[in-house]
Amino acid sequence: MPIIYKCRHCTKEIGRLDHQIVESTMLGFDQLTTKEKEDMIKYRTNGDVEITSICESCEDTLGHNPHYHELDFFIQ
């Protein structure tokens, strides 16, 4: 059951955890609201857990273009 972190904007894989057992508190999931969990955590049919986050490149782009925060997607 790998846990895969992907960027919500460019869909690039940011990181991956291939541990068999990982506690959700170690990953900070307990700090998320129910809505944030629904938006960020997806359980795939193959057993993978996909976490949507933001990569450094997209974060940098948002920092230089604050008006992009108004958009759902800014990368085509």
Side-chain angles (χ1 to χ4, degrees):
M1 168 191 90
I3 300 172
I4 304 163
Y5 287 81
K6 286 192 173 182
C7 180
R8 76 177 69 241
H9 300 288
C10 68
T11 68
K12 174 181 142 184
E13 186 174 309
I14 301 168
R16 173 185 291 259
L17 297 171
D18 288 316
H19 301 289
Q20 292 298 320
I21 299 174
V22 178
E23 292 186 33
S24 62
T25 55
M26 291 175 59
L27 300 173
F29 294 168
D30 59 319
Q31 303 294 312
L32 300 174
T33 65
T34 302
K35 176 72 171 129
E36 289 170 331
K37 288 177 189 175
E38 290 173 1
D39 291 343
M40 295 177 66
I41 303 171
K42 304 292 184 237
Y43 298 92
R44 302 297 178 200
T45 55
N46 64 357
D48 292 355
V49 178
E50 189 173 291
I51 310 299
T52 305
S53 188
I54 185 168
C55 70
E56 289 181 21
S57 178
C58 289
E59 184 176 19
D60 186 53
T61 300
L62 285 168
H64 287 93
N65 302 280
H67 60 283
Y68 284 0
H69 284 280
E70 300 170 5
L71 307 173
D72 289 331
F73 299 97
F74 61 87
I75 295 178
Q76 301 289 329

